[in-house]
């Protein structure tokens, strides 16, 4: 059983990661237009952070837990299977969300201010917020689990998800602001989409806590790595490339990997 301080630490990391959408919301509110260079760089940076932490921290943690529980052979097969299972789950969710409201499809969040269908901006922003909230829900549970089991991994996961959530906050707030003319409403919608992460942590903790153990944690870590890799390849990098700022996106990707690598080295 976990003590109260450990639970509060894990919850605090989850709140930090989720509410980083407010940073994106604030950027969208304060800037007249985030611009293609900003979007390409921030999305590339986010992808670099998430890819590095997925392959260097989260997936190895899944391998370690499962090989300890099942042995070298079956543990490796289980971790690989969980990794691709995570990819399959997020891919199915992506397919089930209608394309016009899916934040993982190109165009949404890349430069929504220039969208010719201005009369649909409010609907687009609201649906984008809902879709992002759905995707943030399991991220919150993953961050919370990491916080309970391994603080170093948890901090890396929380930072990666926090950076990932900043451009999502931009994607929500920009169309809401343009549709309503209200900075407060735009910021509020970005805040609400981020609150899905601590909600996912609390609900997941209450429902699945009795099931947590080395096997469940190993599968969860490996699956979360798969989810994060899919989001990078399906959402962040294509959207960054769609801005037309290819080199900015690549530089952001490399910078994100470097920053994550340095932060992990400083934690060890």
């Amino acid at each position: 059983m976990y003590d109260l301080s450990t639970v509060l630490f894990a919850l605090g990391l989850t709140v930090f990661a989720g509410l980083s959408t407010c940073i994106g919301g604030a950027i969208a509110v304060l800037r007249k237009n985030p611009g293609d260079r900003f979007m390409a760089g921030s999305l590339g940076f986010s992808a670099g952070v998430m890819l590095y932490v997925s392959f260097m921290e989260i997936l190895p943690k899944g391998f370690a837990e499962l090989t300890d529980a099942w042995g070298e052979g079956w543990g490796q097969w289980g971790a690989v299977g969980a990794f691709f299972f995570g990819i399959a789950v997020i891919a199915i969710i992506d397919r089930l969300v209608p394309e016009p409201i899916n934040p993982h499809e190109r165009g949404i969040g890349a430069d929504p201010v220039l969208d010719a269908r201005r009369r649909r901006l409010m609907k687009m922003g609201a649906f984008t917020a809902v879709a992002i909230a759905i995707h943030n829900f399991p991220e919150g549970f993953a961050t919370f689990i990491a916080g309970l089991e391994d603080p170093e991994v948890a901090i890396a996961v929380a930072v990666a998800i926090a950076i990932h959530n900043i451009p999502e906050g931009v994607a929500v707030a920009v169309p809401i602001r343009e549709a309503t003319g209200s900075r407060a409403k735009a910021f509020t919608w970005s805040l609400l989409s981020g609150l899905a992460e601590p909600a996912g942590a609390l609900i997941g903790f209450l429902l699945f806590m009795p099931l947590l153990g080395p096997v469940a944690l190993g599968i969860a870590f490996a699956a979360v790595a798969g989810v994060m890799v899919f989001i990078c390849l399906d959402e962040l990098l294509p959207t960054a490339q769609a801005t037309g700022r290819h080199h900015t996106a690549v530089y952001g990707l490399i910078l994100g990997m470097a920053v994550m690598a340095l932060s992990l080295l400083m934690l060890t």
Side-chain angles (χ1 to χ4, degrees):
M1 194 64 182
Y2 302 102
D3 57 45
L4 181 60
S5 62
T6 302
V7 173
L8 291 177
F9 169 76
L11 183 60
L13 284 180
T14 307
V15 172
F16 159 74
L19 294 187
S20 64
T21 55
C22 295
I23 299 175
I27 292 171
V29 165
L30 296 175
R31 293 174 65 113
K32 182 177 180 181
N33 186 345
D36 289 341
R37 188 181 298 276
F38 167 80
M39 291 300 296
S42 61
L43 290 169
F45 184 87
S46 179
V49 168
M50 291 181 67
L51 286 173
Y52 191 90
V53 77
S54 293
F55 286 119
M56 298 301 291
E57 284 289 319
I58 305 176
L59 186 56
K61 183 70 175 176
F63 270 89
E65 293 283 355
L66 290 176
T67 53
D68 284 346
W70 290 344
E72 193 74 20
W74 285 109
Q76 291 185 356
W77 278 100
V80 170
F83 175 78
F84 286 102
F85 174 75
I87 291 177
V89 169
I90 194 66
I92 291 171
I93 292 174
D94 238 24
R95 296 292 295 177
L96 293 177
V97 178
E99 183 174 335
I101 67 172
N102 192 341
H104 288 186
E105 298 298 332
R106 295 187 187 186
I108 303 301
D111 199 357
V113 180
L114 299 179
D115 194 329
R117 298 169 295 176
R118 293 181 61 88
R119 56 195 174 93
R120 299 185 61 194
L121 279 172
M122 183 63 196
K123 183 178 181 181
M124 179 198 303
F127 281 175
T128 300
V130 171
I132 287 174
I134 292 171
H135 283 275
N136 284 352
F137 197 86
E139 288 179 356
F141 184 48
T143 305
F144 189 76
I145 290 176
L148 293 177
E149 295 298 320
D150 191 326
E152 291 187 3
V153 171
I155 292 172
V157 171
V159 170
I161 292 177
I163 294 171
H164 162 63
N165 284 345
I166 292 173
E168 288 188 346
V170 174
V172 172
V174 169
I176 296 292
R177 177 185 171 183
E178 291 301 307
T180 65
S182 170
R183 295 171 183 247
K185 288 181 179 179
F187 184 81
T188 299
W189 276 91
S190 67
L191 168 65
L192 292 175
S193 66
L195 287 177
E197 298 221 1
L202 291 175
I203 294 173
F205 178 74
L206 293 175
L207 293 179
F208 301 114
M209 187 64 198
L211 303 177
L212 292 182
V215 172
L217 288 170
I219 292 173
F221 277 121
V224 166
V227 169
M228 292 177 70
V229 168
F230 183 89
I231 290 173
C232 291
L233 300 180
D234 181 67
E235 172 195 356
L236 299 179
L237 291 178
T239 305
Q241 293 284 351
T243 65
R245 300 284 186 172
H246 167 79
H247 288 99
T248 302
V250 173
Y251 298 152
L253 174 75
I254 296 171
L255 180 61
M257 288 184 173
V259 169
M260 196 73 255
L262 290 174
S263 67
L264 290 174
L265 288 173
M266 289 187 292
L267 288 172
T268 58

